[in-house]
Amino acid sequence: MPAEPLARSERPLTGPFWEHVDRRELVRPVCSVCRRSFFVPQVVCGRCQSGDWSYQPSSGRGVVYSHTTVHRPPTPEFSPPYVLAVVDVCEGDWPANGRSGGDTDDYGEDDRDAWSMLTWIVGCEPERVRIGMQVVVRFVPGPNGELLPAFTPAASEDAA
Amino acid sequence: MIPSVRQRGASLQGVAIAGIGVTRQARQIDGTSAAVCLEAAMAALDDAGFPLAEVDGVSARWPGPGGTVFHPGSVDWSGVFGHGFTWVGDTYPQGAPGLLDAASAIVAGQCEAALVFGGRAGETVGSNSGDSKVAAYTRPGNEFVACWGSLTAAQFALVAQVYMHRFAPDRGRLAQIPATIRNAGTVNPDAIMFGRGPYTPADVLASPMVAEPFHLLDLCLASEGAAAMLVTTLERARDCRHAPVVVLGGSCEWRRQQYVNPPRYDDVYRVGASAMGRALGMAGLTASGIDVFELYDINSFEVVRQFETLGLCGEGEGVDYLAEAGIGLDGRHPTNTDGGLLSYSHTGFSGPTMKIVEAVRQIRGSAGVGQVPGAEVVMATGAGSGAEYHNAVVLGPDR
Ligand SMILES: [Zn+2]
């Protein structure tokens, strides 16, 4: 008989990420040796192969790198249309330290302190989402009620 | 630009495809994956006129890698075929990587005749034409993907959107690409979409939006069926029923695990450039020497991207380039002559093998209504940018 799936907060590698999300905090793995931020969490840093990394608080501020509005969801619990996005999360100067190009590879040469995640853009009509839009994290319930770290346009975008 | 290529290791040109087999393809097929896989494998043997008793290698990832305690219920292919093997592959996917693994095993003397096959049947397959069900393999279950309701089409859409933003290609010209490929399927009696269409760019643009920028007709099918190939030494292939199709070159590129990481255009746009470059280098050719392309067409954008990464045109120039060059039978670059994944069939696991099958048919001159006159050298590819891996083979006649 298959084992019950682990609660997300009990998963060996990613449990702490979700525990933080439950407290409405966004964190990301940061390598203690080369200081690289990376995502998704993995057993070692992809640049220097050190297993000495920890979850560190994120600025929660980023830039929309790409987005797509999904009209046909994979399963019925998702209600279309919704906006999937790749957000470049910027830990340094914002948004000067983010970019709409460049390489954020875990093993890339780029030293900018940014990392990327798949997420939703919420609180914004899908037609208004654009590449380069400044966004901030906002925790919203997913289909099963558990919180997810989505992003919403920053105040500066509302003024624009 | 195709990267400069140094020949690594032994040539594969002493290996050939001697037989191909394809079952009926349909949105849903009754029965089991094992049954359709076996049907395709036996068809490939029959096509070659090759005795089953002399098959000493097998690569059949789905529905089972040869029977193991780690995959309860997987198929024991040696039990099915009535004898053991000296080489068992477990390649994901089939297609180019399966062919290259088998060819490598043959060159290294690990086996002499390998059946490479896969497929699926009797699994729940949602039609992609009306309801919201999506085939299971297009719904990645990975932790930081599934929670957002992403799907493989959306992962590719996130790559394509950046391209659209930066280069703003003419959407009508872009839509001509899936329309042309689909129209090859319209006249292919074996294609799932046979008799549907023909399609115009306007039809593509008027079809329902799935995940921007992709309309329904920009995207591949999700279907069932199986495909197989018999790979053996060129010497043995010469004794088979059809002229051998030689493995001139091939290579793979595994960038990252598929559908786990956020798909960033700047990281994945060039996926496949080095694999295709190595494949061409092994064949001693450049991209302009390819007569027919059987490219992995999970969506319209990937066709453009592959031509750009082949170096036939620059980044952002592919849509205009292909509009001018043409990808139909009368074009400079005949592409996906059987209707491809867009219109013939896409079973997920044997889709890549279908690319090889059509390449073999072109080289044999048996591709029927889709035949390119005088086709000799064909490139077949698999996977793409959103999946973060890619692979390619160059096939040609025995000469
Ligand atoms: Zn490191």
Side-chain angles (χ1 to χ4, degrees), chain B:
Chain B
M1 285 290 291
I2 298 297
S4 62
V5 176
R6 180 177 60 85
Q7 173 71 46
R8 313 188 295 194
S11 166
L12 300 178
Q13 295 182 8
V15 178
I17 301 167
I20 50 175
V22 179
T23 69
R24 183 176 73 91
Q25 308 283 311
R27 290 185 187 278
Q28 283 184 278
I29 290 178
D30 292 336
T32 64
S33 296
V36 288
C37 285
L38 178 62
E39 182 186 338
M42 298 308 272
L45 285 177
D46 185 55
D47 179 63
F50 195 91
L52 173 61
E54 292 175 29
V55 171
D56 56 1
V58 65
S59 175
R61 182 65 180 88
W62 274 275
T68 155
V69 67
F70 298 113
H71 297 276
S74 59
V75 178
D76 173 7
W77 288 110
S78 54
V80 170
F81 290 139
H83 65 272
F85 312 109
T86 60
W87 177 78
V88 171
D90 188 14
T91 310
Y92 173 80
Q94 256 78 41
L99 171 59
L100 293 171
D101 283 2
S104 302
I106 290 165
V107 166
Q110 299 302 305
C111 65
E112 195 170 282
L115 272 171
V116 179
F117 58 99
R120 56 206 301 272
E123 300 179 20
T124 308
V125 179
S127 136
N128 68 352
S129 66
D131 58 38
S132 64
K133 286 187 298 178
V134 177
Y137 68 85
T138 68
R139 289 186 266 117
N142 300 316
E143 184 169 10
F144 295 99
V145 171
C147 63
W148 303 110
S150 191
L151 57 159
T152 53
Q155 299 288 114
F156 278 89
L158 286 163
V159 180
Q161 285 281 77
V162 174
Y163 182 93
M164 302 300 162
H165 176 76
R166 290 188 191 170
F167 302 108
D170 183 277
R171 294 302 176 97
R173 287 183 151 198
L174 174 57
Q176 182 66 57
I177 291 163
T180 302
I181 294 172
R182 284 178 172 275
N183 290 344
T186 296
V187 296
N188 175 1
D190 294 331
I192 289 174
M193 298 296 279
F194 172 65
R196 304 273 295 274
Y199 298 93
T200 65
D203 294 329
V204 174
L205 295 172
S207 65
M209 189 65 86
V210 174
E212 289 155 18
F214 296 141
H215 296 263
L216 185 65
L217 295 181
D218 283 303
L219 294 165
C220 64
L221 300 167
S223 41
E224 296 195 323
M229 53 187 149
L230 177 71
V231 187
T232 186
T233 62
L234 179 55
E235 275 184 9
R236 291 216 65 179
R238 284 175 175 149
D239 296 332
C240 291
R241 189 169 286 154
H242 299 282
V245 168
V246 178
V247 182
L248 297 178
S251 189
C252 301
E253 189 174 333
W254 308 96
R255 186 182 178 281
R256 296 291 296 272
Q257 189 174 9
Q258 55 178 326
Y259 311 122
V260 170
N261 301 285
R264 295 181 82 258
Y265 176 90
D266 288 288
D267 298 341
V268 304
Y269 165 75
R270 290 192 58 76
V271 165
S274 73
M276 291 189 288
R278 283 191 295 273
L280 287 166
M282 289 168 76
L285 292 166
T286 63
S288 56
I290 300 292
D291 298 323
V292 183
F293 290 92
E294 303 298 341
L295 302 180
Y296 215 61
D297 52 336
I298 43 254
N299 58 65
S300 52
F301 164 70
E302 276 298 308
V303 176
V304 176
R305 190 190 71 83
Q306 289 173 90
F307 276 107
E308 291 183 3
T309 52
L310 271 164
L312 285 164
C313 54
E315 183 177 7
E317 298 172 358
V319 170
D320 287 343
Y321 173 79
L322 293 175
E324 181 265 319
I327 62 165
L329 291 187
D330 55 350
R332 192 186 314 157
H333 301 308
T335 300
N336 299 2
T337 43
D338 60 356
L341 306 176
L342 291 167
S343 176
Y344 186 170
S345 179
H346 181 32
T347 66
F349 310 130
S350 59
T353 303
M354 300 280 280
K355 294 293 174 192
I356 310 262
V357 165
E358 177 65 5
V360 169
R361 286 176 170 158
Q362 287 288 341
I363 293 162
R364 286 180 179 176
S366 65
V369 68
Q371 181 67 46
V372 175
E376 288 203 323
V377 182
V378 183
M379 172 176 275
T381 66
S385 64
E388 302 208 43
Y389 73 104
H390 193 265
N391 43 70
V393 291
V394 178
L395 304 176
D398 178 19
R399 56 181 170 204

Side-chain angles (χ1 to χ4, degrees), chain A residues 31-36 38 45-50:
Chain A
C31 177
S32 306
V33 175
C34 76
R35 305 308 303 167
R36 184 92 181 161
F38 60 90
C45 166
R47 184 161 64 177
C48 76
Q49 287 68 54
S50 171

Side-chain angles (χ1 to χ4, degrees), chain A residues 84-102:
Chain A
L84 281 176
V86 177
V87 167
D88 287 347
V89 186
C90 314
E91 304 300 348
D93 297 336
W94 183 60
N97 207 27
R99 71 273 147 254
S100 58

